Structures are given as structure tokens and as C-alpha cells.
Amino acid sequence: MDSAPSLSSPRPVYLPEGEHRRVKILVAGPLGVGKTTTIKTLSQIPTLHTDEVMTDAAIGTDDLSLVGMGDKVTTTVAIDFGRLTLPGDRVVLYLYGTPGQRRFLPLWEGIAFGALGALVLVDTRRMRESFEVMDLIEERGLPYAVAVNIFPDSPDYDMPLLRSKLDLAPDTPLVTCDVRQTNSSLNALIQLTAHSISSAGAKTS
């Protein structure tokens, strides 16, 4: 995994002085893949979360029998939100976590408006769950990077095989990470940001 700059300095609540490029980024993926944890890990401000307890109404809609879902008791029903100033203080990222279920599609489309790109989280124990999310992002024409969140019992795939299984375009960034670790998540976000800015530049050239 590529190394990432450290965020060991104190986390400011207010933006530093000077000019900044403000960028809206989506953090997407299926239910239980680690979106809320990613934003909690990266945000420099107190995060906003709209989690609700899952009830019997989810039976038949959300499949909690999938691997890794056994202790899932809440789900995001609107957004997660956080903010991160990248090292150098020139780019400020506004991080929006999106619900992973298709029934939230109208809300997802509203959140996606104006986004520069998306970080798609993948669990290799249930990769097929991520295809629907990637399809939605591709339909909107958003550039995205894929971050494989490593769980203790995740299958061990090499990167070329992962890229093949996920059917990714050659220029789509693909990294592995532990979303509980700041530098690991930051590395994925930096790769997405560079890819998104590059893609935006290519469209306007």
C-alpha cells in the first residue's frame, strides 16, 4: 500500500486562512462496509451522522445474513458528513457518506449533485454487493476510486486479481486500506482526489 502523509497535528475546527479549493467527495458502498467509520476516522471536525436502529421492517429488504452483518444494528438513513483539509492546506474535502441501499436512490442522487468523485468501499467477502453502487456512480459519470476495506477474515487477493474481479477500468485507482486507520484511509482519499481532479481537467481541456 502506498504511504500517506500523517495527520498527527491537532485537528482544527475552523479552516486555515488563505485560498482553498473546496471539493465535495462521496464515500459510497454497500451496507456495513465501513462508510461511517471512514468519515469518523478522517474528519477534522465533529461528524454528522444520521444512523437509525434497524428494526423488523428491514426484514426482506436488508440481508443481514451476509457475512460481516451479524452485529449490524444501525444503518445510515440520510448522510454522514465530515470535513478534511489535505496536507498543504490547499484542498478542503467535504465528505458525504451515502446510504448503501437502493431504496435511498432519490436521496443519493441529491447528495451526489456537485460531487467531484466518489470513494467506493468494498468488502472482499461480498464483492457483488458493491457492483450496484459502482453502477450508480458510473451512470452519473463520476470518477471514483475503489478502497478495499480489510477485515480480519477477508480473502487475500492480489491487486491484479481484485481489479479483474471488480471489472475496473485500467485508470480507476484501487487500494487496500483499514478504514479505522487515519493514514490508510487518507491514502485512499488522496488517490481519489488526484484522479478526480485529473478527470475534471481532462473534460475541460
Side-chain angles (χ1 to χ4, degrees):
M1 184 187 305
D2 294 336
S3 61
S6 174
L7 288 181
S8 58
S9 57
R11 295 187 165 195
V13 173
Y14 299 104
L15 288 175
E17 295 182 359
E19 295 184 0
H20 311 94
R21 179 165 186 175
R22 303 185 183 193
V23 177
K24 182 179 185 180
I25 294 292
L26 305 184
V27 179
L31 179 68
V33 77
K35 301 181 293 294
T36 298
T37 301
T38 302
I39 292 178
K40 285 182 177 178
T41 298
L42 289 170
S43 181
Q44 294 171 324
I45 61 173
T47 51
L48 168 68
H49 302 286
T50 52
D51 287 357
E52 293 292 341
V53 174
M54 301 183 74
T55 67
D56 290 344
I59 296 175
T61 303
D62 296 323
D63 187 357
L64 299 183
S65 68
L66 295 170
V67 62
M69 293 288 98
D71 58 353
K72 183 71 172 172
V73 295
T74 64
T75 185
T76 299
V77 296
I79 62 169
D80 297 313
F81 176 78
R83 194 195 74 210
L84 172 65
T85 303
L86 292 182
D89 295 342
R90 295 180 181 178
V91 178
V92 178
L93 304 182
Y94 292 94
L95 309 174
Y96 288 80
T98 64
Q101 301 96 313
R102 177 167 281 277
R103 66 181 181 275
F104 294 113
L105 178 59
L107 175 64
W108 186 93
E109 290 177 336
I111 297 170
F113 181 79
L116 187 66
L119 181 65
V120 179
L121 299 180
V122 170
D123 181 346
T124 57
R125 301 172 299 177
R126 47 191 182 95
M127 279 191 281
R128 285 190 299 177
E129 301 295 311
S130 299
F131 289 127
E132 183 175 70
V133 177
M134 289 190 286
D135 287 345
L136 290 173
I137 291 169
E138 289 175 355
E139 287 169 10
R140 285 200 64 90
L142 284 175
Y144 65 95
V146 173
V148 176
N149 189 14
I150 302 300
F151 294 88
D153 56 345
S154 295
D156 186 17
Y157 298 110
D158 61 32
M159 298 303 276
L161 182 58
L162 269 176
R163 183 173 290 277
S164 175
K165 283 182 171 291
L166 293 169
D167 194 26
L168 299 180
D171 64 337
T172 300
L174 172 64
V175 298
T176 59
C177 71
D178 180 341
V179 300
R180 300 167 300 177
Q181 302 296 322
T182 302
N183 282 0
S184 184
S185 296
L186 179 61
N187 175 62
L189 203 56
I190 287 174
Q191 294 207 34
L192 164 66
T193 304
H195 176 59
S196 299
I197 291 174
S198 174
S199 297
K203 290 179 180 178
T204 58
S205 62

